[in-house]
Amino acid sequence: MNKATSVTSCRRRFFKAFQNVQRCHLSLAYTLHEPPHSLNCSKDYPLVILHGLFGSKQNHRSISKALARELQRPVYALDLRNHGESPHDSVHDYPSMADDVDEFIHHHRLKQPVLIGHSMGAKVAMTVALRSSSLLGALIPVDNAPVDALLKSDFGKYLAGMREVESTGIRKQVQADHILSKYEDAPAIRQFLMTNLVKSPNSGVLGFRIPIQTLASSLANMGDFPFRDPVAACHKGPTLFVRGTRSHYVPDDVLPVIGQFFPRFNIQDIDCGHWIMTERPDLFKLAVVSFLRDLDSDES
């Protein structure tokens, strides 16, 4: 997509950590999940859900509907830049993605939203919170921490597999699955990657809707975290970190750092791996609902 048509506006912002960097915010695609009997639901404190790397708003459709129903609040599931149906841009880092989400919240006039982000989306959500603390009603990062950490090598393998798929000119998903099986044994993860496959209307050849080269060159950015000093940037709003006990992204030794950036944090452990919202949606929903209802009772 041509950058001139995909960028809705561009502004220069200056932050202490990002001096003299020009970033453009993009207009993000989203799905709004209204609760049943939505005329009686509160429009305040909506939930905004951010997916992880190679994901999209479709990944969290079931949990979004369940949370909307349980909490009687609207839930916005977003496609982050270079993912799903959102525009592409050559810049893919946390400050730029946070710009997009910040603009989404302002454009839709969301009042004190609860920002939920998984993996890459968790770092986007934390970046928004640390830059614009008063904007949020609550923060829920899922299986990621506010530290620099190398991504698992799996992500590089996935990109190599996707490159091979695109280079072969295949027309059937079973062919793509066969190629990806050389890079990933788990069928569920291969199916997750193939949710990004689209067919060319002209040739019928399958390709990926995500910009593979852009994401490949941005993997190092995805391991980084754009804040270093919790004295200069601190979010004092209510925060729930949810981590998988069989994942490595939020080890115990980073909890002091989390406490410095997010002094009002709680942590919820769930017995699963990194893909918490998919592996244990029941326990994840229970954790979120309990956390937010406790906040409601504290305020009443």
Side-chain angles (χ1 to χ4, degrees), residues 118 141-144 241-251 267-277 279-280:
H118 172 250
V142 183
D143 216 52
N144 217 334
F241 278 80
V242 184
R243 64 176 178 176
T245 57
R246 287 181 267 130
S247 175
H248 73 284
Y249 282 97
V250 191
I267 192 156
Q268 177 68 56
D269 289 341
I270 295 180
D271 183 21
C272 62
H274 180 58
W275 309 94
I276 297 172
M277 297 162 75
E279 294 179 52
R280 298 306 305 267

Side-chain angles (χ1 to χ4, degrees), residues 66-132:
L67 289 171
R69 181 175 61 250
E70 191 79 17
L71 292 166
Q72 281 296 293
R73 301 188 196 183
V75 178
Y76 295 80
L78 274 55
D79 280 338
L80 295 172
R81 63 168 55 199
N82 295 315
H83 288 77
E85 298 175 338
S86 283
H88 296 177
D89 191 88
S90 60
V91 178
H92 192 84
D93 57 23
Y94 291 119
S96 297
M97 286 187 281
D99 279 350
D100 299 340
V101 175
D102 190 300
E103 182 64 24
F104 181 90
I105 292 170
H106 283 101
H107 178 75
H108 291 272
R109 299 179 181 178
L110 303 186
K111 181 180 178 181
Q112 293 288 285
V114 176
L115 202 52
I116 302 174
H118 172 250
S119 194
M120 177 184 76
K123 284 191 171 180
V124 176
M126 287 185 278
T127 302
V128 173
L130 291 172
R131 293 193 330 191
S132 308

